[in-house]
Amino acid sequence: MGETTRRSTERAALRFSRRAGLRAAGAGLLTLAGARVLPARAQQPRSNGIAVYPAHNTRTASPGTEISFRGVSASQLGPLSVVGSRSGGHSGIVVPHADGNGASFLPDARFEPGEAVTVSAALPLRRSTGGAIRFSVATPAPLVSAPPHRETEAPEREPQAFRSRPDLRPPVIDVTTPPEETAPGQVFLAPKIEGGQSGAMILDERGELVWFAAPAADVNQCNDFRVQTYLGQPVLTWWEGASPVGHGYGHFVIANSAYERIAELRAGNGFPGGDLHEFLITPQGTALILIYHPVRWNLTPFGGPIDGAVMDGIVQEIDIATGRVLFEWHSLDHIDLDEAGGKRPDDPDRPWDYVHLNAIELDGDHLVVSARNSHAIYRIDRVSGRVVWRLGGKRNDFAMAEGASFAYQHDARVHPNGELTLFDNAETDLKAGGHSRGLVLRLDEERMTAALVREYVHPTKVLSISQGNVQVLPNGNVFVGWGSSPVFSEFGPDGELRFNGRLPAGAMSYRAYRAPWVGRPSAPPDIAAEAGAGGSVTIYASWNGATEVAHWRVLAGPEPAGLGFVRSAPPRPALRRRRTPPRTPARSPSRTPRAGLGFVRSARRAPDPPAPASAPPRSPR
């Protein structure tokens, strides 16, 4: 992805002349300039088979928006007309989508805030006279500022430290309930710690570090770190960016098994950044993301100003290969402000985050979207954007059985057996009492009822006032990340606690996951040597992310060409800073001079099968 991909794609684009458009007697007709187009794999669409985004009657399109057409090829669209009520006719290029079932118009100039845009093509775009679609462009409100810097040197609890990697200072993880009958795989966290080093983290069953990566220098946080599948291969994915309270502006990362970044995805259509809450890769090689976009809005019905600020919650589906937007949905077009569970802010310049979207889930031809601040889960038609039903909230379409109600929820997921899981935060005030829980509900869409199937409650009655997730594992266990509480747990099918870990007090991880993972770093191991008494030398070795190291071999000698075997040692737990002397992974004989120690080899396990989750080799050390 990047400039090279975009330029090669644009060579296959249709070019529309601005001059021809502006001379079209006010009609804004944009004529073809004759260019090669990739052959479409889709059949000739019917007049009502084309989906356009921003959709007809969208009220909050970005001034930098592109216009996406699905269910039609670039050549089938024919001449386009794109006219702003203030900016006039727009020229641009039409770029085909990677799957051959759509195309995007990339305008040469931005639209003006507050104007209406009319789009028409050779084919009718909707069932109406002329078949044109119309949308309005939002007037953006100021973005909420993110923390200007980050301090990583003074956490309340001393972090882990590594002689071979002094740049890594991740928080210490404590396993308080040892694993018993847990699902295979490692644990994936993205800890955020006040005064310490945040980042993406992989742990083994004992809470020992397997891999850690701090955010890049220009961002302050990672979120939603997990294993997904892209192009048939397991990959690591996460969000990184700047995070004001409750949401974020950043980009999305995909890394391969060597921990190399193979893609960085950004929000489409000119929005300032993608939000931290969701990055879901679909089987089609696209990504579903969320965007928080503050816009000016009439708040007089709610006692506010006519030009108040509201947070529009946006769902985008983006083609990862090209960055084109394939679907876009706006909360302000489909969810009214009176569905909000709380009052608008007193500060007129602070955007009213009335829904707070935090999860997207595929559900056939629909999407299931969770909105924390309206206490509701919405099933959305992927073509029209229409809300099919609401679960919870002020306009709940379901009769809730005892124990099925929830509040401030996160991570709504549908499952093949018809069940729906979610994380029920329950409260937003630690002083309110109560506790959070993982919920499994069964929805009857004929009778419109919701029944409680199971709940997962921590033995200590953990209350998480924000964040959290529930992951159903292949063996029937359930993994729960407790969000703002520094806890992650695995439960058996009947709710018994089978594993529990803790971050330092005050730390948190937006979500927590378990998944099998085989990491083979492309970078070599890191080595450090320390001289001891009597000419002895202690060697410290780490290989950040390697999951198949069986043991280390130390070679020594007077010169590189004459090295001989000295000793081997299995990987040992991470060397943390303690007042007592740390353990040493491999010590050379006292007669061996320090200058002669220059090489450490690692012996890898056979790649098939992966190391068992109950006792994987630990690295880095």
Side-chain angles (χ1 to χ4, degrees), residues 103-387:
S104 292
F105 174 74
L106 283 57
D108 291 331
R110 292 169 63 88
F111 297 102
E112 293 191 17
E115 74 172 335
V117 178
T118 302
V119 181
S120 59
L123 295 173
L125 301 178
R126 66 185 182 97
R127 291 176 175 175
S128 68
T129 303
I133 68 111
R134 296 175 180 83
F135 61 83
S136 298
V137 179
T139 300
L143 299 178
V144 179
S145 61
H149 66 280
R150 64 186 189 210
E151 174 61 51
T152 64
E153 298 299 325
E156 185 173 335
R157 183 179 179 185
E158 189 75 4
Q160 301 183 57
F162 310 95
R163 285 168 170 79
S164 56
R165 288 296 303 271
D167 57 314
L168 300 182
R169 294 173 55 83
V172 173
I173 306 297
D174 294 317
V175 172
T176 57
T177 300
E180 183 178 354
E181 298 184 37
T182 54
Q186 292 90 4
V187 174
F188 295 78
L189 306 171
K192 297 170 281 188
I193 181 166
E194 185 71 24
Q197 196 175 65
S198 302
M201 175 184 284
I202 305 176
L203 305 172
D204 69 11
E205 290 276 53
R206 296 160 288 187
E208 300 295 344
L209 196 63
V210 174
W211 183 74
F212 182 76
D218 57 342
V219 301
N220 69 356
Q221 186 179 121
C222 297
N223 275 282
D224 198 24
F225 175 53
R226 56 173 148 168
V227 177
Q228 298 197 68
T229 300
Y230 178 55
L231 301 180
Q233 298 297 319
V235 293
L236 298 175
T237 66
W238 66 93
W239 173 95
E240 62 183 18
S243 178
V245 176
H247 63 284
Y249 299 104
H251 58 269
F252 307 91
V253 179
I254 303 176
N256 62 17
S257 60
Y259 303 96
E260 300 165 332
R261 296 186 180 212
I262 59 174
E264 289 188 1
L265 189 67
R266 285 165 169 76
N269 287 350
F271 289 106
D275 177 61
L276 62 88
H277 286 93
E278 189 70 274
F279 177 36
L280 183 67
I281 297 178
T282 73
Q284 292 73 38
T286 66
L288 289 164
I289 68 168
L290 293 169
I291 299 168
Y292 280 50
H293 189 223
V295 299
R296 293 297 178 189
W297 204 256
N298 181 8
L299 295 180
T300 55
F302 303 91
I306 194 170
D307 61 345
V310 171
M311 197 70 79
D312 188 23
I314 301 169
V315 176
Q316 279 188 351
E317 183 178 8
I318 299 177
D319 177 45
I320 296 174
T322 64
R324 301 277 75 82
V325 176
L326 308 182
F327 171 85
E328 186 172 285
W329 181 90
H330 295 249
S331 67
L332 284 170
D333 293 328
H334 301 280
I335 302 175
D336 294 336
L337 293 178
D338 61 10
E339 291 192 46
K343 297 180 180 179
R344 67 173 181 82
D346 294 331
D347 182 354
D349 293 326
R350 180 184 171 191
W352 183 10
D353 188 7
Y354 80 110
V355 288
H356 194 89
L357 305 182
N358 59 32
I360 316 169
E361 173 73 352
L362 288 168
D363 185 19
D365 294 331
H366 297 81
L367 299 176
V368 172
V369 178
S370 171
R372 173 189 186 271
N373 287 354
S374 64
H375 310 294
I377 296 166
Y378 301 85
R379 190 169 194 250
I380 297 167
D381 185 281
R382 291 185 71 176
V383 175
S384 68
R386 179 179 62 91
V387 174

Side-chain angles (χ1 to χ4, degrees), residues 461-611:
K461 299 294 194 296
V462 170
L463 174 61
S464 172
I465 61 173
S466 70
Q467 309 166 80
N469 70 302
V470 175
Q471 178 193 12
V472 178
L473 299 170
N475 69 344
N477 286 2
V478 170
F479 204 82
V480 178
W482 297 92
S484 62
S485 292
V487 185
F488 50 95
S489 312
E490 185 169 339
F491 296 88
D494 295 328
E496 69 278 13
L497 186 66
R498 294 186 175 180
F499 171 76
N500 195 76
R502 292 187 65 91
L503 293 154
M508 63 185 71
S509 181
Y510 167 55
R511 289 174 177 168
Y513 299 92
R514 182 187 289 283
W517 175 252
V518 176
R520 298 174 178 140
S522 58
D526 293 285
I527 310 297
E530 288 185 358
S536 66
V537 176
T538 302
I539 301 296
Y540 299 90
S542 66
W543 204 356
N544 193 16
T547 61
E548 299 177 303
V549 175
H551 58 272
W552 296 99
R553 300 177 66 206
V554 180
L555 307 181
E559 57 185 11
L563 299 180
F565 173 76
V566 175
R567 182 177 172 180
S568 67
R572 293 195 177 183
L575 296 176
R576 302 169 184 165
R577 289 184 177 174
R578 302 183 179 93
R579 293 182 179 178
T580 57
R583 289 170 286 183
T584 56
R587 183 177 295 276
S588 63
S590 60
R591 66 178 181 273
T592 306
R594 180 180 183 184
L597 285 169
F599 191 61
V600 178
R601 286 179 177 165
S602 69
R604 275 185 167 172
R605 297 183 188 275
D608 269 327

